[in-house]
Amino acid sequence: YAMLLSLIFLIVLVAAVVGFVFRHEIKTNFDCNLDLALKDYNVTGDRHSEAVDTIQRTLHCCGVQNYSDWERTEYFTQRGIPRSCCKSQDDCSEEDLKDLSKAKLKVFVDGCFFLVMSTMESKMSVVAGISFGIACFQLVGIILACCLSQYITNNQYEMV
């Protein structure tokens, strides 16, 4: 049992170190993937398009850096900016979404990349604290399992 807990503890420790060391690559990959998701955005509702819509609705943002990122997409030439960028769904017409100057007043102007990264960084201290707490419990479990094993071994020799 102590060996199993030690193995899990080492795996979690390695994952934390790798996440900390490669955090800049994570940001770069997220930026590239969000940009690709915008370029491949369509109305068929694939999972990438749904993810973009969810991020934009939840964080009140639009595009990668700002709302004008949609201008470089194929979706914009057909339908304009997606409705998930609208501040109010009732006040967003398709005509407004096809014109960037009108859309600026109707959609969220901030980009999603900065908001996602700032949200992740603000939650990292909570995640780190919880992880540290779990690691402490694992270490206590490892120590208690070793003590129990030692106690059982000592008692068997006394009985003989």
Side-chain angles (χ1 to χ4, degrees), residues 81-134:
I81 297 173
R83 296 188 67 78
S84 60
C85 285
C86 293
K87 293 177 183 175
S88 170
Q89 295 296 320
D90 302 332
D91 192 29
C92 255
S93 68
E94 197 168 315
E95 293 173 6
D96 294 337
L97 295 175
K98 286 185 176 181
D99 183 11
L100 280 181
S101 59
K102 289 180 183 176
K104 184 177 184 177
L105 303 171
K106 309 260 178 169
V107 300
F108 303 113
V109 293
D110 296 329
C112 294
F113 176 73
F114 177 73
L115 288 172
V116 168
M117 287 299 125
S118 62
T119 302
M120 282 177 52
E121 288 173 1
S122 70
K123 305 294 184 204
M124 283 306 229
S125 59
V126 173
V127 171
I130 292 171
S131 299
F132 182 73
I134 291 171

Side-chain angles (χ1 to χ4, degrees), residues 31-85:
D31 187 27
C32 292
N33 287 330
L34 187 59
D35 200 34
L36 280 172
L38 255 63
K39 287 183 176 138
D40 295 337
Y41 186 89
N42 58 33
V43 290
T44 59
D46 68 337
R47 60 189 178 98
H48 297 291
S49 300
E50 288 178 21
V52 169
D53 286 337
T54 302
I55 289 171
Q56 290 182 151
R57 265 191 230 103
T58 305
L59 296 178
H60 302 291
C61 59
C62 190
V64 179
Q65 301 301 325
N66 59 36
Y67 74 102
S68 65
D69 292 337
W70 283 103
E71 188 177 25
R72 298 185 304 269
T73 65
E74 187 177 322
Y75 182 84
F76 182 81
T77 57
Q78 296 170 359
R79 295 197 162 179
I81 297 173
R83 296 188 67 78
S84 60
C85 285

Side-chain angles (χ1 to χ4, degrees), residues 1-14 130-146:
Y1 182 71
M3 295 295 258
L4 181 64
L5 275 179
S6 298
L7 181 66
I8 293 170
F9 177 76
L10 288 175
I11 290 171
V12 170
L13 183 66
V14 167
I130 292 171
S131 299
F132 182 73
I134 291 171
C136 288
F137 279 117
Q138 281 182 320
L139 287 174
V140 168
I142 292 168
I143 292 168
L144 291 176
C146 289

